[in-house]
Amino acid sequence: MHVKKFVCGPLKTNCYLVWDEGKAVLIDAPQRCSQPVLDELAKRNLELVLVVNTHGHWDHIADNAELKEKTGAKIAVHKGDEKMLWSPPDGVASSRADTHLDESDLIRIGSAALEVIETPGHSPGSVCLYGAGMLFSGDTLFAGSHGRTDFPGGDHSKMLASLKKLLKLPPETKVHPGHGPETALGKERWIGHM
Ligand SMILES: [Zn+2]
């Protein structure tokens, strides 16, 4: 499974194109990610089959509609955040989910797969994706910190439980967060002291 990171939009949101055997999935769709992602798909002759939103905040969903229109990719989000796609802030295109993400769902990408881990706290429908030794952690876990819980739908005690759930994964797991640099789970020992 191959991974390419793009950093896009005013909040410098990370999105990740992951692919295997000609099939690609995009993890999050921040503002102005469409063109670089489309260029990458063309360059590598990849079919974008799915856009997964780690959660429904506007900076992770803004280019859903454009990517769906231009590639035919389906949109996947957890039910808990689905309504955020329908009514985003002014200036952000609304979109509709084609499929919902639930705990332990497998997202197949060629011969590889990513497993859905429900991690509410930053938002009700936040998820992380785990597979091939990697964790795509959205705005749940960043290098050295966790996502805010003071937005509508945020819940600090749920965030704590979600972080502790992630800590059960192997320490060598490489973490690709929704903002900022990569890390490894083993470097985020502060979670155990929360
Ligand atoms: Zn967020």
Side-chain angles (χ1 to χ4, degrees), residues 55 57 60 122 139:
H55 62 295
H57 286 156
H60 296 256
H122 178 64
D139 285 4

Side-chain angles (χ1 to χ4, degrees), residues 55-60 122-123 126 138-139 142 151 179:
H55 62 295
H57 286 156
W58 72 271
D59 60 313
H60 296 256
H122 178 64
S123 67
S126 280
D139 285 4
F142 304 128
F151 293 123
H179 299 271

Side-chain angles (χ1 to χ4, degrees), residues 18-25 45-49 108-110:
V18 299
W19 70 93
D20 188 62
E21 295 181 346
K23 305 287 183 193
V25 169
N45 196 23
L46 299 170
E47 180 194 357
L48 186 68
V49 291
R108 298 195 186 279
I109 312 154

